[in-house]
């Protein structure tokens, strides 16, 4: 198969390109040359998709195209150039109008499409609407297409550093000496029963390539099984070989202490305060699993992420610093060790 990957240097698109070569496909990756290198065996074309496609590239024919773009004009040009290639477009669950609606494909209403290219640095809320427009371009303009809508994608090489926070925190538990017992007191976010879901980038990449090889069409939420956040964090700890003392603090108290959700400075990654985000990480994985998505245990993902962090101390990790966590724990009285479950 001749496979075109629009990207190929970062996280999911890089994993797709690498796996495509490993499966014996001829892989071409188009990227700007700013975010890294392509995997060995991949032919690269350095090109900024804000510009018209190079004539030579546009004249090539491909059996399948994998696109992770969020900019409508980029998708529009690619669809016009290769309408007959089977398309796998990587979208997002952020296309749903209600972030707490886990209805899934065909059930949850979508945002109104934004067909223009919007500067997300100035208007970050346009992300989901632009993805809706990109989906429509693909579904309306390609001979056959699959649209996959991931939720939280995790695993080695994650540039966001969100999930990586938790294996990194487990490393501090492992490193604690006899005089640092407090390092095993790990701040845990919100309601232990709150539902979350993750999918390992390697599993998602394998499935994206399967959809390309099989020319599978359809729209799927590309998500893993739903689990309580307490169970997910316990699995992370097991995968890292750590035995933390979880200290659960409720949503209201965390917010009052200026702990921020999801990602970024002073955040507890994976935490989404209730009820506003109930369901955002609770989409039905059934259709994707039935269509061939295979999901590895969270323990394996956590172990592999920790290995990556040990090998590359500069790998991104986002969230509370050690000092900030100590501060929050010191200002949240009445906490007790729940063993990872509600007390």
């Amino acid at each position: 198969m001749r496979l075109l990957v629009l990207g190929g240097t970062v996280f999911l698109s890089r994993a797709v390109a690498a796996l495509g070569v490993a499966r014996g496909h001829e892989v071409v990756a188009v990227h700007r040359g700013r975010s890294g290198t392509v995997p060995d065996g991949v032919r690269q074309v350095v090109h900024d998709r804000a510009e018209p496609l190079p004539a030579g590239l546009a004249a090539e024919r491909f059996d399948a195209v994998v696109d992770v773009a969020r900019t409508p004009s980029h998708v529009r040009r690619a669809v016009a150039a290769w309408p007959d290639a089977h398309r796998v477009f990587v979208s997002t669950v952020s296309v749903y109008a209600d972030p707490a609606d886990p209805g899934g494909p065909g059930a949850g209403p979508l945002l109104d499409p934004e067909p223009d290219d919007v500067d997300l640095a100035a208007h970050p809320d346009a992300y989901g609407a632009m993805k809706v427009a990109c989906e429509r371009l693909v579904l309306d303009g390609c001979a056959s297409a699959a649209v996959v809508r991931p939720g939280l994608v995790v695993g080695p090489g994650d540039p966001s550093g969100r999930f990586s926070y938790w294996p990194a925190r487990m490393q501090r538990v492992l490193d604690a000496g006899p005089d640092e017992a407090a390092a095993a007191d790990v701040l845990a976010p919100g309601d232990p029963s709150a539902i979350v879901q993750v999918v390992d980038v390697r599993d998602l990449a394998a499935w994206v390539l399967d959809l390309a090889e099989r020319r599978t069409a359809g729209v799927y939420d590309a998500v893993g099984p739903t689990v309580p956040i307490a169970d997910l964090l316990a699995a992370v700890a097991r995968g890292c070989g750590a035995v933390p003392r979880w200290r659960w603090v409720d949503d209201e108290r965390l917010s009052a202490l200026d702990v921020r959700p999801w990602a970024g400075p002073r955040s507890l990654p994976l935490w989404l305060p209730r009820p506003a985000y109930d369901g955002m990480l609770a989409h039905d994985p059934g259709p994707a699993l039935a269509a061939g998505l295979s999901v590895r245990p969270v323990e394996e993902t956590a172990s592999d992420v920790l290995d990556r962090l040990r090998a590359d101390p500069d790998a991104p990790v986002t969230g509370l610093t050690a000092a900030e966590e100590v501060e929050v724990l010191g200002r949240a009285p009445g906490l007790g060790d729940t063993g990872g479950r509600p007390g």
Side-chain angles (χ1 to χ4, degrees):
M1 178 175 71
R2 295 199 79 230
L3 173 66
L4 176 64
V5 178
L6 296 169
T9 62
V10 177
F11 206 36
L12 176 59
S13 65
R14 193 177 201 280
V16 171
L19 187 58
V21 171
R23 291 188 182 181
H25 300 307
E26 180 184 349
V27 181
V28 178
V30 177
H31 65 98
R32 295 180 300 172
R34 301 178 189 174
S35 302
T37 60
V38 298
D40 291 343
V42 174
R43 178 186 138 216
Q44 68 175 345
V45 176
V46 178
H47 167 68
D48 189 331
R49 294 180 67 184
E51 303 297 329
L53 289 166
L57 178 65
E60 293 192 48
R61 298 297 94 190
F62 297 96
D63 299 300
V65 176
V66 173
D67 196 354
V68 298
R70 61 190 184 188
T71 305
S73 69
H74 297 183
V75 175
R76 193 175 292 114
R77 275 191 287 270
V79 168
W82 304 289
D84 296 329
H86 181 69
R87 194 71 46 123
V88 182
F89 180 71
V90 180
S91 187
T92 170
V93 295
S94 295
V95 297
Y96 292 105
D98 180 356
D101 179 0
L110 304 183
L111 295 165
D112 291 333
E114 173 51 76
D116 297 325
D117 298 353
V118 176
D119 180 2
L120 291 177
H123 303 284
D125 291 344
Y127 172 68
M130 285 202 296
K131 279 288 198 179
V132 173
C134 293
E135 288 187 6
R136 290 193 176 180
L137 289 166
V138 167
L139 293 170
D140 292 344
C142 295
S144 63
V147 169
V148 298
R149 297 170 176 161
L152 181 58
V153 184
V154 302
D158 178 6
S160 78
R162 289 173 295 198
F163 179 85
S164 303
Y165 172 86
W166 294 105
R169 183 63 185 88
M170 294 305 100
Q171 183 64 60
R172 297 215 315 270
V173 173
L174 294 169
D175 289 342
D179 298 326
E180 301 172 295
D185 291 335
V186 178
L187 178 62
D191 183 343
S193 66
I195 295 299
V196 296
Q197 59 193 161
V198 300
V199 62
D200 190 293
V201 65
R202 296 163 294 184
D203 298 330
L204 181 55
W207 187 51
V208 164
L209 194 54
D210 290 343
L211 296 175
E213 292 170 343
R214 301 167 185 166
R215 300 183 70 85
T216 301
V219 179
Y220 304 92
D221 284 347
V223 294
T226 56
V227 296
I229 191 170
D231 292 354
L232 184 139
L233 293 182
V236 170
R238 287 193 300 273
C240 296
V243 184
R245 292 187 295 268
W246 298 107
R247 302 306 201 213
W248 292 90
V249 179
D250 63 38
D251 294 341
E252 293 77 12
R253 187 64 175 157
L254 288 175
S255 296
L257 294 173
D258 192 30
V259 178
R260 299 159 196 173
W262 193 238
R266 203 177 167 84
S267 70
L268 270 179
L270 309 192
W271 171 48
L272 291 169
R274 304 174 83 175
Y277 294 96
D278 273 356
M280 183 173 174
L281 293 181
H283 288 251
D284 180 8
L289 296 174
L293 174 63
S294 177
V295 180
R296 73 191 64 204
V298 171
E299 288 89 340
E300 181 180 336
T301 299
S303 176
D304 292 345
V305 168
L306 185 57
D307 287 344
R308 175 67 67 90
L309 294 174
R310 288 167 172 166
D312 181 9
D314 295 326
V317 175
T318 186
L320 288 170
T321 66
E324 289 168 342
E325 183 183 13
V326 169
E327 171 214 330
V328 172
L329 286 171
R331 295 170 63 193
L335 297 176
D337 182 7
T338 66
R341 297 298 303 169

